Amino acid sequence: MEDKLMLMIPGPTPVPEAALLALAKHPIGHRTNEFSNILADVTANLKWLHQTESDVLMLNVSGTGAVEAGIINFLSPGDRILVGSNGKFGERWAEVGQAYGLNVETITAEWGQPLDPAQFADKLQADTAKEIKAVIVTHSETSTGVLNDLETINRHVKEHGEALIIVDAVTSLGAFNLPVDAWGLDVVASGSQKGYMIPPGLGFVAVSAKAWEAYKTAKLPKYYLDLGKYKKSAAKNTTPFTPPVNLIVALHTTLGMMKEEGLESIFGRHERQKNATRAAIKGLNLPLFAADDCASPAITAVAPPNIEADKIRSLMKKRFDIALAGGQDHLKNKIFRIGHLGFVSDRDILSCIASLEVVLLELGYENFTPGAGVAAAAKVLNG
Ligand SMILES: *Cc1c(COP(=O)(O)O)cnc(C)c1O
């Protein structure tokens, strides 16, 4: 049966019908009052979502472009930075730093393990000369399903006093409580195809007053990603370059939906679906790749023993038209990942787990009582 695709990957995530219909409209001119009014609304709602009074800027880039902008606007060549690296995305931010000639030091943990905040504390406390200009942390490491302890790491950054905290919040924003102002986060980057419930194409960067101070003296080259341009335009409810008009109209719709649902409820839904998914995987006697106390709200990685993870994925797709994500790099074929981010309902979780049970049986994995995964999920979803 065609046209029943269910995306259970950590981006692109499913898009609600109201947003799909907004995408189908004729584009409107981006220098019109009509569009400016939409931008004004979107800007206000982005601040609400980020729990900030400061700027949240919008660029036509993927999540990587948003993080890159968040790095290069506030630093100068040779600046010393600390980058947390415990997965694909942490590795990427170290590479971006190197590409721009920054003095990059990584703080690593095994893939599947969380970063150790004490290692950040050690480096930051030892830096009495205040040479460390920024600390970059991937909050939810999508490649492994690990949620890093950003709150504690950030506390150590605050004690240092000089360094900026730059956060890849691509799969935590809109899934997990991330109070940007209350925590004093300086730069927070995200992308439209994750918690925002619209297709790929927009990146977002929240910028604190302290980061704008650093911007004034930052010397890394930039043009299209120069956030000063975006701030200036945003003050006039416009954009420096042609924005993806239809995506922004769709975003207007989904931010409205999110506001209606409320932050508490959104975070509660992600927590509940994470717990249901993890309970189900345990019910199927399959090993979870990340421990309970550092589990991402957006993505659950599973390491099936004695079965190729990609066989599970391809049968899930073929039999049930459910798309799961695979492992990256050395985890290729070793893990599969279930996304539960954005426009995902409890029903989707149940469908996914029930389908997974059938697929496991078809592949000859019999180390569970049929129905055990669904039963475990049902118990959690029952509240
Ligand atoms: C998806 C994702 C990104 C951005 O990836 P793009 O392909 O550039 O959109 C960055 N960080 C994390 C943790 C992600 O999950």
Side-chain angles (χ1 to χ4, degrees):
M1 194 178 287
E2 285 177 15
D3 204 19
K4 275 287 211 182
L5 174 65
M6 199 166 120
L7 281 176
M8 298 290 285
I9 60 176
T13 60
V15 178
E17 190 170 72
L20 290 172
L21 292 172
L23 286 164
K25 288 185 179 172
H26 283 290
I28 58 175
H30 62 295
R31 303 294 184 213
T32 59
N33 281 336
E34 188 185 357
F35 188 67
S36 282
N37 290 337
I38 290 171
L39 264 188
D41 249 19
V42 163
T43 302
N45 286 345
L46 284 173
K47 290 184 187 195
W48 165 80
L49 178 63
H50 286 75
Q51 305 181 60
T52 185
E53 300 289 319
S54 200
D55 299 291
V56 182
L57 306 167
M58 194 161 49
L59 291 73
N60 329 0
V61 293
S62 80
T64 302
V67 179
E68 182 162 330
I71 295 171
I72 68 173
N73 276 270
F74 309 106
L75 296 166
S76 300
D79 275 355
R80 184 175 169 204
I81 63 169
L82 296 184
V83 181
S85 175
N86 59 337
K88 188 79 183 162
F89 290 99
E91 280 184 359
R92 183 175 297 175
W93 312 138
E95 285 169 14
V96 170
Q98 279 147 6
Y100 281 97
L102 298 171
N103 175 8
V104 178
E105 262 176 76
T106 54
I107 291 180
T108 59
E110 292 261 312
W111 288 35
Q113 298 294 320
L115 295 167
D116 177 8
Q119 293 187 21
F120 288 84
D122 287 348
K123 292 267 184 201
L124 288 161
Q125 281 160 15
D127 177 36
T128 49
K130 306 292 176 195
E131 284 172 357
I132 299 172
K133 296 300 175 202
V135 174
I136 305 179
V137 175
T138 301
H139 190 195
S140 164
E141 179 45 86
T142 312
S143 62
T144 62
V146 165
L147 185 74
N148 285 309
D149 185 358
L150 173 66
E151 192 175 4
T152 306
I153 295 170
N154 178 54
R155 220 175 304 126
H156 297 310
V157 176
K158 290 288 158 296
E159 284 157 13
H160 180 269
E162 173 73 26
L164 297 172
I165 176 88
I166 299 175
V167 182
D168 168 355
V170 181
T171 53
S172 63
L173 194 94
F176 189 83
N177 189 25
L178 192 65
V180 171
D181 283 2
W183 286 7
L185 302 173
D186 293 304
V187 178
V188 176
S190 57
S192 59
Q193 80 276 29
K194 308 285 174 103
Y196 292 89
M197 307 191 286
I198 56 170
L202 279 170
F204 307 87
V205 194
V207 183
S208 73
K210 180 175 173 178
W212 283 125
E213 271 310 300
Y215 171 87
K216 289 182 189 162
T217 54
K219 291 194 179 57
L220 283 178
K222 52 194 174 286
Y223 187 86
Y224 187 74
L225 297 182
D226 182 346
L227 292 176
K229 292 187 172 77
Y230 293 83
K231 179 182 165 74
K232 226 165 139 185
S233 296
K236 292 179 277 180
N237 291 322
T238 182
T239 56
F241 313 107
T242 311
V245 171
N246 290 49
L247 266 184
I248 291 172
V249 173
L251 177 65
H252 190 220
T253 301
T254 56
L255 284 173
M257 289 171 65
M258 291 174 92
K259 254 199 124 165
E260 196 144 299
E261 185 177 357
L263 288 178
E264 290 285 310
S265 166
I266 292 171
F267 303 149
R269 171 163 56 82
H270 284 86
E271 172 77 10
R272 181 173 76 244
Q273 293 180 358
K274 171 194 83 172
N275 289 336
T277 304
R278 294 177 68 84
I281 296 301
K282 288 177 192 169
L284 299 174
N285 295 314
L286 290 173
L288 289 157
F289 194 65
D292 285 344
D293 60 1
C294 64
S296 164
I299 181 103
T300 297
V302 184
N306 312 319
I307 322 173
E308 289 176 49
D310 287 352
K311 280 205 174 137
I312 295 174
R313 291 205 306 131
S314 69
L315 204 51
M316 283 290 277
K317 181 71 183 67
K318 195 164 146 218
R319 286 283 272 111
F320 297 106
D321 216 358
I322 297 177
L324 301 179
Q328 292 162 292
D329 293 353
H330 64 277
L331 295 178
K332 219 170 176 31
N333 217 5
K334 298 277 191 285
I335 61 169
F336 66 87
R337 296 175 297 148
I338 302 171
H340 31 81
L341 174 60
F343 189 60
V344 173
S345 69
D346 290 355
R347 185 186 68 193
D348 296 333
I349 302 292
L350 291 169
S351 301
C352 178
I353 297 302
S355 304
L356 179 61
E357 290 198 11
V358 176
V359 162
L360 289 170
L361 291 173
E362 287 191 8
L363 290 173
Y365 174 82
E366 290 179 331
N367 186 24
F368 71 103
T369 311
V374 173
K379 258 191 193 163
V380 175
L381 296 175
N382 180 40

